[in-house]
Each structure stands twice: as C-alpha cells, then as structure tokens.
Amino acid sequence: MQKQKQTPGRQGPGVAFVLFSTICFSIEPIAAKVAYRGGATVMTTLTLRYFLAAVTFWLLTLAGGCPFRLPRRQLLAVVALSLGTQTPTVLALFEAFRYIPAGMAILFLYFYPTVVTILAFFFLKEPFTWQKALALLLTLAGCAVILGQPVKTLDPRGVILSLTAAFTYAIFLVGSTRLLASIETPVYNACVSTILALAVGGLALTSRQLNLFFSSQALVAIGVLGIVSTVLAMAALMRGVKEIGASRAAIISTFEPVATAVLGFLVLGESLTSWQMIGGAAVLAGVFLQRRT
C-alpha cells in the first residue's frame, strides 16, 4: 500500500482537528467528577458513555451513506486492536487511579507520545526529525510541570498500570493509522466505540458494578462524556491522525492537560498557578513546532 503523502496544505487542518480533539478530551475529568458526585459508578459511567457514543456514530455513519460493511479481515483487525489496546488503556488508567494520585497517573500516561513516535518511525516510516524530538521534550516537560506533584511513596501497581495504559494507547494510535488508510473514519469510530461498549458493559455486568440509580446531573455529565469527550473527540482525532500521522498527532495531543487546567479553573474554581502557566507555554511551543513542520 502506497504511503499517503502529507502536503503542507493538509497539515493545517490536521493540526486543527487534533487540537480540537484535545479540548474535547480535556472535558473528560471534569464531567467524570460530576457524574461520580451524582452517584454514577466508574463502570456505569464508562458503559453508558461508550454505548451512547456507539449509537451516535452508527447514526452518523448511516446518515452519511458510508458503506459500513467491512471485509472479515478488516473487521477482525479492528476487533483485535480495540480489545487488545483501547479497552486495556481505559481499564488500566482508571484502575491506576486506585493506587496513585490521578495527576501522577496522567503524567505517566503522557509517556505515550514518545512510544508512538518510536513505533511510527519503525512501522509507519514516519520521519524522526530534530523538530519532532524538540517538540517531544518541550511537551513532556510542560506536562510534567502542569501535572507534577511531590513524588513521595508511589505504589508500583499504579505506576505499572499507568505505563501500561501509555503503551497500549500508543499501539492503538499507530494501529489506527494503518487501518484508517483503507477504512472510512466514521465507520472505524463506530466499530471501535461499539466494541468498547460491549467489552466494558460485559465487565460491568459480570462484576455487578452496573448501577443505573444516579442523579439527573450525573446523566447530563455522562451525556457530555459520550458526545463531546468521545464522539467529537474521537472523530476529530482520527481525522487528524489520517491527515498528519500518528506521531505528530500524539505530540499535539499533549495540549490536553493545558486545556484541562484552564477548564478546571473556569468551571470548578481550581487554582491555576504560575508554574502551570509556564508548563502550558512549553506545551504550546511544542505544538507550534509541529504546526511548522
């Protein structure tokens, strides 16, 4: 299969798509906190989130007239990638929250752009330039400043789970890049979200953690998670990955902690320190480098 050439004219929209997806993803922790406060459990929130996303994606696919039947080989590849990487990513990260602070778990998760860049170099033949290396250093340093917490005694289980999530998510992005070369983006998103919904929902039922007794506030928050932080976020991210490649998209996605910090300040009244602003500036510098290359 011939590698799609990324022309400068296509890079601008691709960067914009990825930035938009990071803003949508940044709403996730805020909406999740609201859902939990309203009585929804973690597994209930994840199950309803992905079921809502799956239904929405399929409606959009049918409305757009996209051919949604995949050859058996492609369908098996999507199932394997979704169950083997994206599902473990979600479960490992939320499980890591039980053992280490959420900020520290997210910090370990953001090792994934480095993994994506390495995997994309070997498997997707994406170039590894000095701009990309500098952007990685800037964005990782910025994330460390924004999310950084005093490192006391960290439970190794939380560290391992967070790094596992980083590694599996990196594989998901690289694998998605290859599959999107022959699968329409709306169809791919519909299949992935459906598989996630069935996998998480099955686990919630078997573990008896599915509880539908929660407040209307939690219901609204789950709706935001399903539509904004899943449908809009995934649609924009996968379109961006298709335009600019997995490694650049992963580096630009480190803008998410910046957007989360700002939203936490505006919506939840959380503090926004000068150090976080410095970290945000470093991330923006790395993103700007990706826009220029």
Side-chain angles (χ1 to χ4, degrees):
M1 183 180 296
Q2 188 175 3
K3 186 179 179 291
Q4 183 181 3
K5 185 178 180 181
Q6 297 165 5
T7 61
R10 298 176 64 88
Q11 291 179 5
V15 171
F17 277 122
V18 177
L19 281 174
F20 177 74
S21 75
T22 65
I23 295 173
C24 293
F25 278 126
S26 70
I27 300 173
E28 180 179 22
I30 297 172
K33 287 181 181 179
V34 174
Y36 301 156
R37 289 174 185 172
T41 64
V42 173
M43 293 303 291
T44 298
T45 301
L46 289 175
T47 299
L48 295 180
R49 167 190 182 177
Y50 288 116
F51 266 106
L52 175 60
V55 171
T56 305
F57 272 130
W58 282 118
L59 290 175
L60 291 173
T61 299
L62 294 174
C66 294
F68 57 87
R69 291 190 177 183
L70 300 178
R72 184 177 179 182
R73 184 175 179 180
Q74 284 185 335
L75 182 59
L76 290 176
V78 174
V79 171
L81 189 66
S82 301
L83 291 179
T85 60
Q86 186 69 332
T87 302
T89 297
V90 174
L91 296 177
L93 184 61
F94 276 84
E95 189 70 14
F97 293 157
R98 294 177 53 196
Y99 301 109
I100 60 177
M104 192 61 69
I106 297 296
L107 183 57
F108 284 120
L109 174 68
Y110 273 93
F111 183 65
Y112 84 84
T114 302
V115 181
V116 168
T117 302
I118 294 171
L119 292 177
F121 175 76
F122 286 105
F123 295 102
L124 301 178
K125 307 305 179 184
E126 293 185 7
F128 186 78
T129 62
W130 70 266
Q131 292 101 327
K132 193 172 288 186
L134 181 58
L136 270 176
L137 290 174
L138 284 170
T139 54
L140 289 176
C143 287
V145 172
I146 295 170
L147 300 168
Q149 299 179 10
V151 180
K152 298 177 182 177
T153 303
L154 289 179
D155 191 319
R157 291 174 294 183
V159 176
I160 293 173
L161 284 166
S162 300
L163 290 176
T164 298
F167 187 72
T168 53
Y169 188 56
I171 297 175
F172 174 73
L173 281 182
V174 173
S176 294
T177 303
R178 300 195 69 168
L179 290 174
L180 285 170
S182 57
I183 302 176
E184 293 290 337
T185 305
V187 178
Y188 182 75
N189 287 330
C191 290
V192 171
S193 56
T194 300
I195 295 165
L196 278 170
L198 293 174
V200 176
L203 288 173
L205 286 173
T206 54
S207 61
R208 296 183 180 180
Q209 296 183 43
L210 188 64
N211 181 10
L212 300 179
F213 297 99
F214 46 77
S215 67
S216 57
Q217 189 180 33
L219 181 62
V220 172
I222 292 172
V224 171
L225 283 170
I227 300 300
V228 179
S229 296
T230 308
V231 174
L232 295 179
M234 282 184 63
L237 177 62
M238 292 306 157
R239 178 64 183 273
V241 166
K242 199 167 187 175
E243 296 287 349
I244 64 175
S247 59
R248 293 185 64 206
I251 295 171
I252 294 169
S253 293
T254 55
F255 181 72
E256 183 182 339
V258 180
T260 299
V262 173
L263 285 173
F265 172 74
L266 296 175
V267 179
L268 300 178
E270 296 178 348
S271 61
L272 188 62
T273 67
S274 57
W275 277 109
Q276 287 178 314
M277 295 179 187
I278 293 172
V283 172
L284 287 174
V287 171
F288 180 75
L289 269 178
Q290 294 305 292
R291 174 65 182 88
R292 296 280 294 178
T293 55

